[in-house]
Each structure stands twice: as structure tokens, then as C-alpha cells.
Amino acid sequence: MGLSLVIFPVFFCIITAAFGFPYEQHKLMGKCSSTRECSTGQICSSCPVELQGSRCVRSSTTNPFNLVNASMPFNKYAYLTTHNSFAIKKRPIQDAVPQVTFTNQEDTISQQLSNGVRALMLDTYDFKGDIWLCHSFKGKCQDFTAFEPAINALKEVEIFLSSNPSEIVTLILEDYVEAPNGLTNAFNASGLVKYRFPVSNMPKDGKDWPLVKDMVAKNHRLVVFGSQRQKEQSEGIAYQWNYMVENQYGKDGMVRGKCSKRADSSELNDRSKSLVLVNHFRTIPIHQASCKDNSQDLMNMLSTCYHASGNRWANFVAVDYYKRSDGGGTFQAVDMLNGKSLCGCDDVQACVSGSSSCTRGSK
């Protein structure tokens, strides 16, 4: 009898492993040894700067359109944004040329979108007779700074939009393309043209954008901003600074208690621009340090930038290594922003009709 008591648990563990029966799922911040031990929407992550051992941390956002509604203007929601979305680790080596540049993300663009990222920062260049995504310098792409042809990333976005007919994606382009209609040709080839939100419909003088549900109904589900003023007229790519304010990026944009504008942007409290973008990433990306950057430090900066932006919460939150945190991370930050904007609560989950968990702060 005693032997049976010993054998049965061992046998059960073997069967569990062999047939893939579910492991015990740990709640947020629970200790773990693999992601399959964590709950849905979490990963098992190590963050030596902040945590002791590996813990279950969030890895996906809450969709406010599904949770609350899609009947507010586009500029009333917050969207998780990845900085240099294309600059991922383990990318294929192009033409066997070693890469000598920084990386900012771990996931493919498809994975980012699947996890709730809704805005992508892409750097576009003329390279090899085509349009490429590069993390380069002085406006020139090099073999050792090139990641992939832009068409590859754009096709990933097209696949996501075609598979998710109620979602909206924003592209923010740092654009060095000089080839006539270079970007237009890339959008045409990718099949994204049919989703483009027309520049002629973009609001001026700080007015509200159309309702999300109306953008979806018209299939205007790709919003594109670029850094070249003349392309608003020549290619219909909205000049970013006509519609958006943005804080300083890099180390100078991460000073505690300070939220200053980047050089290209008008003043953060300029209400003639209806969108607010908050950058929170280092000049030189550091994978492990992003755990701390994407946690309470990010929440503090969003609060600081709220006041600097004339009491407006950010619409776009741009980060490196978006899944790295000591708990809720960037996903909780976006939930906070949507909660503040949609119902005045500290978490969008509290905006659900009948919820009694609302903690009201600054609207």
C-alpha cells in the first residue's frame, strides 16, 4: 500500500507530461519556470533589476473597443506603440552581412500586433533600389544597419488588418525615402491602400477624430503619419507634426519629473494638435534595463506628461522591449490611460458597466 502511494504520483506526473495536461497556472507575479505555468496573457520572465527569480508578467493588452465600446473618437483611446518595431533580435542576416546596429524589440511585427500593439514606429530608407527598414544614421541605410525590405513588414500589417476587421493600426514613419512615390508604391504592393485613412478626413485645429466605430465601418483602419512635410500633398502621408505633439525621446526624455517636447514637435500643451505621443525608451536600448523602464518609471512619466500636455493623457506610448516589466508593465500603463480617458478610473477594467472597482483620479 505504501508503495502504491509513492508510485501513483510519479506515474501521474509522467502521464501529465506525456499528454500535455495543463500545468498549474500562476497569477500575475507568481513564481514560474516556464510560460506554460502562467495564465493566459502572461509570460514567465526574468527581470534581475527588479525581481528575484522568474515571475509571471503581463504580455498582452486589454482591448478597450471590445471591453467598453468603440463609440468614442480615435483620439480618446490609448495605443501601445513599439519603438523601431522592425529592429528585432534574431532577424535573418541579409546577404550574410553581419549586423552592427541596435535592436529594440524581440517579437516579429505579427506577434506584436497579436499581443495588442496598435502603433508601429518604422524607419524607412532608400536601399538597393527598394524601400527598406533600417536602424541607421545620417539618413543612409547600410548593409550592416539594414533589417528587411519595408514590404515584408507592411504585408504583416495587411494580414493582421484583413484577419481582424474591427482593429485599427497606426504607422509612424521616420522617413528618409527620396525616391518619387517610393512609399506609395510600397503601400500599393502590400495591399494596404484599401485601409488607408484619408488625410483629407484628418481633423485640424485639435478637433476630435471620427468615432472608432465609423472608421471601422468605412474600413479606414490604417492611420499613417510621416516625417516629411511635402508628402502630405504628394503622397497623402500625413505630416506627423500637423496632428501630434511628442515628448523628447532617449535619455533626455526619461528625466524624472520632467516631460519636455522633442525638437520637431510644437509645445506639448498645444491643443491645436489632438494626439499626444509619449516616448519612454533609452538612447541605447538595454534589454534587462527595460524591465525597470517599462514599470513604475513609465507610469510616473505618463503622469508627468499628462500635466505637461495640458492635462491630456497620452494616445501613444512608445517603448523598447514592450513585454519586459516587473508585473503589469506597458500593458497596465495602457489600461490606466484608457481607464482615465474613457471613464475617469485608474484601470479600463473598471469602466465596465456595473464595476465597483473604480478608483477615480485625474480625468
Side-chain angles (χ1 to χ4, degrees), residues 227-257:
S227 58
Q228 292 200 35
R229 183 188 298 271
Q230 73 278 8
K231 288 189 180 180
E232 181 156 329
Q233 294 296 322
S234 64
E235 297 190 55
I237 297 172
Y239 182 53
Q240 179 181 353
W241 309 115
N242 286 341
Y243 308 93
M244 184 186 303
V245 295
E246 180 179 331
N247 74 320
Q248 179 59 43
Y249 55 86
K251 180 185 70 173
D252 293 340
M254 299 181 71
V255 179
R256 179 173 295 185

mmCIF file of all heavy atoms in Angstrom, residues 227-257:
data_model
loop_
_atom_site.group_PDB
_atom_site.id
_atom_site.type_symbol
_atom_site.label_atom_id
_atom_site.label_comp_id
_atom_site.label_asym_id
_atom_site.label_seq_id
_atom_site.Cartn_x
_atom_site.Cartn_y
_atom_site.Cartn_z
ATOM 1 N N SER A 227 7.356 61.846 -41.536
ATOM 2 C CA SER A 227 8.183 62.961 -41.069
ATOM 3 C C SER A 227 8.537 63.957 -42.168
ATOM 4 O O SER A 227 9.255 64.923 -41.908
ATOM 5 C CB SER A 227 9.475 62.416 -40.445
ATOM 6 O OG SER A 227 10.191 61.630 -41.390
ATOM 7 N N GLN A 228 8.052 63.723 -43.399
ATOM 8 C CA GLN A 228 8.348 64.652 -44.493
ATOM 9 C C GLN A 228 7.093 65.464 -44.826
ATOM 10 O O GLN A 228 6.091 64.904 -45.289
ATOM 11 C CB GLN A 228 8.842 63.891 -45.725
ATOM 12 C CG GLN A 228 10.215 63.248 -45.529
ATOM 13 C CD GLN A 228 10.889 62.924 -46.844
ATOM 14 O OE1 GLN A 228 10.758 63.644 -47.833
ATOM 15 N NE2 GLN A 228 11.651 61.836 -46.863
ATOM 16 N N ARG A 229 7.196 66.767 -44.615
ATOM 17 C CA ARG A 229 6.042 67.650 -44.775
ATOM 18 C C ARG A 229 5.436 67.573 -46.183
ATOM 19 O O ARG A 229 4.211 67.512 -46.343
ATOM 20 C CB ARG A 229 6.458 69.104 -44.482
ATOM 21 C CG ARG A 229 5.307 70.104 -44.554
ATOM 22 C CD ARG A 229 5.842 71.528 -44.459
ATOM 23 N NE ARG A 229 6.505 71.775 -43.196
ATOM 24 C CZ ARG A 229 5.889 72.206 -42.095
ATOM 25 N NH1 ARG A 229 4.584 72.428 -42.115
ATOM 26 N NH2 ARG A 229 6.581 72.431 -40.988
ATOM 27 N N GLN A 230 6.275 67.568 -47.206
ATOM 28 C CA GLN A 230 5.769 67.652 -48.580
ATOM 29 C C GLN A 230 4.977 66.422 -49.003
ATOM 30 O O GLN A 230 4.162 66.481 -49.930
ATOM 31 C CB GLN A 230 6.920 67.898 -49.565
ATOM 32 C CG GLN A 230 7.842 66.732 -49.833
ATOM 33 C CD GLN A 230 8.920 66.552 -48.767
ATOM 34 O OE1 GLN A 230 8.903 67.218 -47.737
ATOM 35 N NE2 GLN A 230 9.868 65.665 -49.041
ATOM 36 N N LYS A 231 5.185 65.301 -48.320
ATOM 37 C CA LYS A 231 4.494 64.078 -48.732
ATOM 38 C C LYS A 231 3.021 64.074 -48.341
ATOM 39 O O LYS A 231 2.271 63.221 -48.808
ATOM 40 C CB LYS A 231 5.209 62.850 -48.177
ATOM 41 C CG LYS A 231 6.539 62.574 -48.872
ATOM 42 C CD LYS A 231 7.142 61.249 -48.484
ATOM 43 C CE LYS A 231 8.465 61.033 -49.204
ATOM 44 N NZ LYS A 231 9.097 59.742 -48.866
ATOM 45 N N GLU A 232 2.605 65.022 -47.492
ATOM 46 C CA GLU A 232 1.179 65.117 -47.214
ATOM 47 C C GLU A 232 0.425 65.487 -48.487
ATOM 48 O O GLU A 232 -0.672 64.984 -48.747
ATOM 49 C CB GLU A 232 0.900 66.133 -46.109
ATOM 50 C CG GLU A 232 -0.575 66.252 -45.771
ATOM 51 C CD GLU A 232 -0.838 66.761 -44.368
ATOM 52 O OE1 GLU A 232 -0.037 66.515 -43.457
ATOM 53 O OE2 GLU A 232 -1.870 67.426 -44.195
ATOM 54 N N GLN A 233 1.026 66.341 -49.296
ATOM 55 C CA GLN A 233 0.408 66.724 -50.558
ATOM 56 C C GLN A 233 0.727 65.740 -51.674
ATOM 57 O O GLN A 233 -0.143 65.359 -52.455
ATOM 58 C CB GLN A 233 0.867 68.133 -50.958
ATOM 59 C CG GLN A 233 0.379 69.223 -50.029
ATOM 60 C CD GLN A 233 -1.141 69.350 -50.037
ATOM 61 O OE1 GLN A 233 -1.782 69.213 -51.079
ATOM 62 N NE2 GLN A 233 -1.724 69.616 -48.876
ATOM 63 N N SER A 234 1.971 65.298 -51.749
ATOM 64 C CA SER A 234 2.397 64.489 -52.898
ATOM 65 C C SER A 234 1.974 63.031 -52.807
ATOM 66 O O SER A 234 1.691 62.395 -53.837
ATOM 67 C CB SER A 234 3.924 64.574 -53.054
ATOM 68 O OG SER A 234 4.576 64.004 -51.925
ATOM 69 N N GLU A 235 1.919 62.479 -51.576
ATOM 70 C CA GLU A 235 1.607 61.055 -51.445
ATOM 71 C C GLU A 235 0.487 60.771 -50.449
ATOM 72 O O GLU A 235 0.182 59.600 -50.185
ATOM 73 C CB GLU A 235 2.856 60.264 -51.058
ATOM 74 C CG GLU A 235 3.970 60.303 -52.100
ATOM 75 C CD GLU A 235 5.094 59.330 -51.794
ATOM 76 O OE1 GLU A 235 4.804 58.129 -51.624
ATOM 77 O OE2 GLU A 235 6.253 59.779 -51.703
ATOM 78 N N GLY A 236 -0.103 61.805 -49.880
ATOM 79 C CA GLY A 236 -1.193 61.584 -48.938
ATOM 80 C C GLY A 236 -0.755 60.975 -47.629
ATOM 81 O O GLY A 236 -1.557 60.319 -46.940
ATOM 82 N N ILE A 237 0.506 61.179 -47.253
ATOM 83 C CA ILE A 237 1.025 60.677 -45.971
ATOM 84 C C ILE A 237 1.048 61.846 -44.994
ATOM 85 O O ILE A 237 1.804 62.807 -45.173
ATOM 86 C CB ILE A 237 2.439 60.084 -46.140
ATOM 87 C CG1 ILE A 237 2.384 58.876 -47.081
ATOM 88 C CG2 ILE A 237 3.022 59.678 -44.789
ATOM 89 C CD1 ILE A 237 3.735 58.325 -47.469
ATOM 90 N N ALA A 238 0.212 61.793 -43.997
ATOM 91 C CA ALA A 238 0.028 62.912 -43.076
ATOM 92 C C ALA A 238 1.337 63.318 -42.414
ATOM 93 O O ALA A 238 2.073 62.466 -41.905
ATOM 94 C CB ALA A 238 -1.000 62.538 -42.010
ATOM 95 N N TYR A 239 1.619 64.607 -42.433
ATOM 96 C CA TYR A 239 2.807 65.132 -41.761
ATOM 97 C C TYR A 239 2.548 65.089 -40.257
ATOM 98 O O TYR A 239 1.648 65.753 -39.737
ATOM 99 C CB TYR A 239 3.086 66.557 -42.226
ATOM 100 C CG TYR A 239 4.324 67.179 -41.639
ATOM 101 C CD1 TYR A 239 5.557 66.541 -41.701
ATOM 102 C CD2 TYR A 239 4.266 68.442 -41.034
ATOM 103 C CE1 TYR A 239 6.699 67.120 -41.184
ATOM 104 C CE2 TYR A 239 5.404 69.033 -40.511
ATOM 105 C CZ TYR A 239 6.621 68.367 -40.580
ATOM 106 O OH TYR A 239 7.753 68.959 -40.049
ATOM 107 N N GLN A 240 3.313 64.292 -39.571
ATOM 108 C CA GLN A 240 3.062 63.983 -38.159
ATOM 109 C C GLN A 240 2.812 65.213 -37.303
ATOM 110 O O GLN A 240 1.900 65.250 -36.474
ATOM 111 C CB GLN A 240 4.244 63.191 -37.593
ATOM 112 C CG GLN A 240 4.112 62.836 -36.114
ATOM 113 C CD GLN A 240 5.319 62.082 -35.602
ATOM 114 O OE1 GLN A 240 6.214 61.697 -36.371
ATOM 115 N NE2 GLN A 240 5.376 61.851 -34.303
ATOM 116 N N TRP A 241 3.606 66.254 -37.531
ATOM 117 C CA TRP A 241 3.578 67.396 -36.608
ATOM 118 C C TRP A 241 2.395 68.325 -36.856
ATOM 119 O O TRP A 241 2.193 69.269 -36.109
ATOM 120 C CB TRP A 241 4.903 68.144 -36.699
ATOM 121 C CG TRP A 241 6.049 67.185 -36.546
ATOM 122 C CD1 TRP A 241 6.991 66.869 -37.491
ATOM 123 C CD2 TRP A 241 6.327 66.354 -35.427
ATOM 124 N NE1 TRP A 241 7.837 65.917 -37.022
ATOM 125 C CE2 TRP A 241 7.460 65.572 -35.758
ATOM 126 C CE3 TRP A 241 5.736 66.194 -34.178
ATOM 127 C CZ2 TRP A 241 8.006 64.653 -34.883
ATOM 128 C CZ3 TRP A 241 6.276 65.269 -33.303
ATOM 129 C CH2 TRP A 241 7.398 64.512 -33.647
ATOM 130 N N ASN A 242 1.600 68.037 -37.861
ATOM 131 C CA ASN A 242 0.345 68.774 -38.043
ATOM 132 C C ASN A 242 -0.766 68.242 -37.139
ATOM 133 O O ASN A 242 -1.801 68.899 -36.976
ATOM 134 C CB ASN A 242 -0.136 68.676 -39.499
ATOM 135 C CG ASN A 242 0.684 69.527 -40.439
ATOM 136 O OD1 ASN A 242 1.377 70.447 -40.021
ATOM 137 N ND2 ASN A 242 0.602 69.221 -41.727
ATOM 138 N N TYR A 243 -0.539 67.064 -36.551
ATOM 139 C CA TYR A 243 -1.617 66.390 -35.838
ATOM 140 C C TYR A 243 -1.240 65.906 -34.439
ATOM 141 O O TYR A 243 -2.119 65.516 -33.670
ATOM 142 C CB TYR A 243 -2.080 65.168 -36.639
ATOM 143 C CG TYR A 243 -2.402 65.506 -38.068
ATOM 144 C CD1 TYR A 243 -1.443 65.394 -39.076
ATOM 145 C CD2 TYR A 243 -3.667 65.976 -38.420
ATOM 146 C CE1 TYR A 243 -1.731 65.726 -40.386
ATOM 147 C CE2 TYR A 243 -3.962 66.308 -39.742
ATOM 148 C CZ TYR A 243 -2.986 66.185 -40.712
ATOM 149 O OH TYR A 243 -3.278 66.528 -42.006
ATOM 150 N N MET A 244 0.029 65.954 -34.106
ATOM 151 C CA MET A 244 0.505 65.271 -32.907
ATOM 152 C C MET A 244 1.593 66.073 -32.208
ATOM 153 O O MET A 244 2.408 66.738 -32.857
ATOM 154 C CB MET A 244 1.067 63.901 -33.329
ATOM 155 C CG MET A 244 1.538 62.997 -32.222
ATOM 156 S SD MET A 244 2.346 61.496 -32.902
ATOM 157 C CE MET A 244 1.051 60.803 -33.939
ATOM 158 N N VAL A 245 1.606 66.007 -30.867
ATOM 159 C CA VAL A 245 2.737 66.509 -30.094
ATOM 160 C C VAL A 245 3.459 65.299 -29.506
ATOM 161 O O VAL A 245 2.870 64.235 -29.317
ATOM 162 C CB VAL A 245 2.294 67.481 -28.977
ATOM 163 C CG1 VAL A 245 1.682 68.733 -29.561
ATOM 164 C CG2 VAL A 245 1.338 66.814 -27.985
ATOM 165 N N GLU A 246 4.739 65.482 -29.222
ATOM 166 C CA GLU A 246 5.559 64.346 -28.789
ATOM 167 C C GLU A 246 6.644 64.836 -27.843
ATOM 168 O O GLU A 246 7.249 65.884 -28.064
ATOM 169 C CB GLU A 246 6.183 63.666 -30.015
ATOM 170 C CG GLU A 246 7.056 62.476 -29.711
ATOM 171 C CD GLU A 246 7.621 61.850 -30.976
ATOM 172 O OE1 GLU A 246 6.964 61.940 -32.040
ATOM 173 O OE2 GLU A 246 8.732 61.272 -30.906
ATOM 174 N N ASN A 247 6.897 64.064 -26.797
ATOM 175 C CA ASN A 247 7.957 64.430 -25.860
ATOM 176 C C ASN A 247 9.321 63.987 -26.385
ATOM 177 O O ASN A 247 9.423 63.253 -27.371
ATOM 178 C CB ASN A 247 7.694 63.838 -24.475
ATOM 179 C CG ASN A 247 7.959 62.341 -24.418
ATOM 180 O OD1 ASN A 247 7.625 61.607 -25.349
ATOM 181 N ND2 ASN A 247 8.555 61.878 -23.337
ATOM 182 N N GLN A 248 10.361 64.435 -25.712
ATOM 183 C CA GLN A 248 11.728 64.089 -26.107
ATOM 184 C C GLN A 248 11.948 62.585 -25.954
ATOM 185 O O GLN A 248 11.468 61.971 -25.008
ATOM 186 C CB GLN A 248 12.736 64.857 -25.247
ATOM 187 C CG GLN A 248 14.187 64.567 -25.555
ATOM 188 C CD GLN A 248 14.541 64.880 -27.000
ATOM 189 O OE1 GLN A 248 14.130 65.893 -27.534
ATOM 190 N NE2 GLN A 248 15.303 64.013 -27.631
ATOM 191 N N TYR A 249 12.665 62.004 -26.880
ATOM 192 C CA TYR A 249 12.959 60.569 -26.814
ATOM 193 C C TYR A 249 14.352 60.362 -26.224
ATOM 194 O O TYR A 249 15.147 61.295 -26.072
ATOM 195 C CB TYR A 249 12.889 59.956 -28.216
ATOM 196 C CG TYR A 249 13.787 60.640 -29.222
ATOM 197 C CD1 TYR A 249 15.117 60.270 -29.363
ATOM 198 C CD2 TYR A 249 13.295 61.679 -30.018
ATOM 199 C CE1 TYR A 249 15.945 60.900 -30.275
ATOM 200 C CE2 TYR A 249 14.122 62.319 -30.932
ATOM 201 C CZ TYR A 249 15.430 61.926 -31.064
ATOM 202 O OH TYR A 249 16.252 62.566 -31.958
ATOM 203 N N GLY A 250 14.682 59.115 -25.899
ATOM 204 C CA GLY A 250 16.007 58.777 -25.408
ATOM 205 C C GLY A 250 16.241 59.201 -23.975
ATOM 206 O O GLY A 250 15.306 59.524 -23.228
ATOM 207 N N LYS A 251 17.496 59.211 -23.594
ATOM 208 C CA LYS A 251 17.879 59.504 -22.213
ATOM 209 C C LYS A 251 17.323 60.826 -21.733
ATOM 210 O O LYS A 251 16.832 60.933 -20.595
ATOM 211 C CB LYS A 251 19.418 59.517 -22.106
ATOM 212 C CG LYS A 251 19.943 59.807 -20.706
ATOM 213 C CD LYS A 251 21.458 59.913 -20.706
ATOM 214 C CE LYS A 251 21.913 61.183 -21.427
ATOM 215 N NZ LYS A 251 23.379 61.401 -21.295
ATOM 216 N N ASP A 252 17.341 61.854 -22.574
ATOM 217 C CA ASP A 252 16.864 63.176 -22.160
ATOM 218 C C ASP A 252 15.352 63.211 -21.944
ATOM 219 O O ASP A 252 14.839 64.140 -21.313
ATOM 220 C CB ASP A 252 17.247 64.222 -23.211
ATOM 221 C CG ASP A 252 18.755 64.436 -23.300
ATOM 222 O OD1 ASP A 252 19.454 64.088 -22.328
ATOM 223 O OD2 ASP A 252 19.225 64.926 -24.339
ATOM 224 N N GLY A 253 14.653 62.208 -22.460
ATOM 225 C CA GLY A 253 13.221 62.141 -22.259
ATOM 226 C C GLY A 253 12.813 61.281 -21.081
ATOM 227 O O GLY A 253 11.616 61.064 -20.859
ATOM 228 N N MET A 254 13.792 60.814 -20.305
ATOM 229 C CA MET A 254 13.499 59.927 -19.179
ATOM 230 C C MET A 254 13.917 60.531 -17.846
ATOM 231 O O MET A 254 14.121 59.817 -16.865
ATOM 232 C CB MET A 254 14.183 58.576 -19.391
ATOM 233 C CG MET A 254 13.724 57.850 -20.643
ATOM 234 S SD MET A 254 14.512 56.247 -20.896
ATOM 235 C CE MET A 254 13.754 55.284 -19.580
ATOM 236 N N VAL A 255 14.021 61.844 -17.813
ATOM 237 C CA VAL A 255 14.389 62.533 -16.572
ATOM 238 C C VAL A 255 13.166 62.601 -15.668
ATOM 239 O O VAL A 255 12.112 63.103 -16.066
ATOM 240 C CB VAL A 255 14.912 63.954 -16.868
ATOM 241 C CG1 VAL A 255 15.268 64.672 -15.569
ATOM 242 C CG2 VAL A 255 16.113 63.890 -17.808
ATOM 243 N N ARG A 256 13.294 62.094 -14.480
ATOM 244 C CA ARG A 256 12.154 62.033 -13.563
ATOM 245 C C ARG A 256 11.588 63.429 -13.299
ATOM 246 O O ARG A 256 12.314 64.380 -13.034
ATOM 247 C CB ARG A 256 12.570 61.392 -12.238
ATOM 248 C CG ARG A 256 11.463 61.313 -11.211
ATOM 249 C CD ARG A 256 11.859 60.528 -9.995
ATOM 250 N NE ARG A 256 12.092 59.131 -10.303
ATOM 251 C CZ ARG A 256 12.356 58.195 -9.376
ATOM 252 N NH1 ARG A 256 12.416 58.536 -8.103
ATOM 253 N NH2 ARG A 256 12.559 56.948 -9.735
ATOM 254 N N GLY A 257 10.280 63.520 -13.388
ATOM 255 C CA GLY A 257 9.594 64.772 -13.085
ATOM 256 C C GLY A 257 9.634 65.794 -14.198
ATOM 257 O O GLY A 257 9.141 66.910 -14.042
#
